[in-house]
Amino acid sequence: MSATSVTSVMSASRRRAAMRLLSVVALGALALTGCGDGKEPTDPTAVAASDTARAGGDRTAAPSDGGEGSQDTRASTGKTPWAGTKQFVTVDKAWAEGGLTYLSVRPAQKKVNARFDTWEIIPGTGAFTTVTMTRDARVLLAAPVRGDDASGVGRGEPLPSSQAEFVTLLTQLDPGIAAGVGYDLSFDGQGRVAKLQSLYRP
């Protein structure tokens, strides 16, 4: 065998040995990284893409955790239990704010006083509740809330009034008299006062 043939055989042997060594090293690296066990890829690009997708998913889900639920809770607690009903109440105070009229009310009872042909008001107990009037709520006032300024009209006859005028009249009324006046309130489906009518008291 010539020297050239011997050299070629030795080179081929070294290449095979080198390939076997590289195979062993590659298998060892696979075992250490766990890629052969079905775990997540360690390629930086794949990991970054996976993390970005998870982060994006978290940002999308975050608003739904407390958004509409909180809004639903606020709406339900903001509605009075008298929605769609008629109530008889006494009014502690009335005021205007932000273009709306608010009333501080408490349920009461009424019964006919046959002796004086009028109503007897029995005030309730407990805390007052704040309710809102609709912008176009009807207001009908009888004495003593509206006074005696309507000539030719009986004191017990309810007359139309504006919400602003009612607030003014109630504020000017003597507290002792105001506490004994009862009101029929009609509430709409949202728990807002759609009609207010005061009862006559001599």
Side-chain angles (χ1 to χ4, degrees):
M1 182 179 296
S2 65
T4 300
S5 299
V6 172
T7 301
S8 299
V9 171
M10 292 179 63
S11 296
S13 298
R14 282 197 295 271
R15 282 198 299 269
R16 285 195 296 271
M19 291 297 294
R20 284 196 297 271
L21 180 59
L22 289 174
S23 298
V24 172
V25 172
L27 288 173
L30 287 172
L32 289 174
T33 59
C35 290
D37 295 332
K39 295 185 179 180
E40 292 184 2
T42 55
D43 177 70
T45 304
V47 172
S50 178
D51 290 345
T52 301
R54 285 196 297 269
D58 293 341
R59 286 195 297 270
T60 302
S64 64
D65 291 338
E68 293 184 359
S70 300
Q71 292 173 2
D72 290 342
T73 303
R74 288 192 297 270
S76 62
T77 57
K79 183 185 291 187
T80 72
W82 303 319
T85 68
K86 294 182 178 181
Q87 299 292 324
F88 182 72
V89 303
T90 54
V91 179
D92 179 53
K93 59 182 178 179
W95 69 98
E97 182 179 334
L100 295 174
T101 302
Y102 297 88
L103 310 174
S104 179
V105 305
R106 182 168 61 187
Q109 295 181 359
K110 61 181 177 180
K111 62 179 182 179
V112 176
N113 187 328
R115 181 179 178 183
F116 297 102
D117 192 23
T118 184
W119 292 102
E120 181 179 348
I121 310 302
I122 305 173
T125 59
F128 284 84
T129 300
T130 299
V131 295
T132 308
M133 300 186 70
T134 62
R135 294 183 184 274
D136 59 348
R138 294 182 61 198
V139 177
L140 299 172
L141 302 178
V145 180
R146 67 170 172 82
D148 299 318
D149 56 348
S151 59
V153 179
R155 287 168 49 87
E157 183 176 348
L159 296 179
S161 178
S162 67
Q163 297 182 32
E165 186 179 7
F166 169 62
V167 171
T168 300
L169 291 173
L170 183 63
T171 303
Q172 295 175 348
L173 199 62
D174 179 86
I177 297 176
V181 177
Y183 300 82
D184 285 314
L185 301 184
S186 298
F187 291 86
D188 66 8
Q190 299 300 315
R192 301 170 302 179
V193 178
K195 179 183 176 182
L196 175 150
Q197 180 171 339
S198 69
L199 266 66
Y200 164 68
R201 292 203 66 188

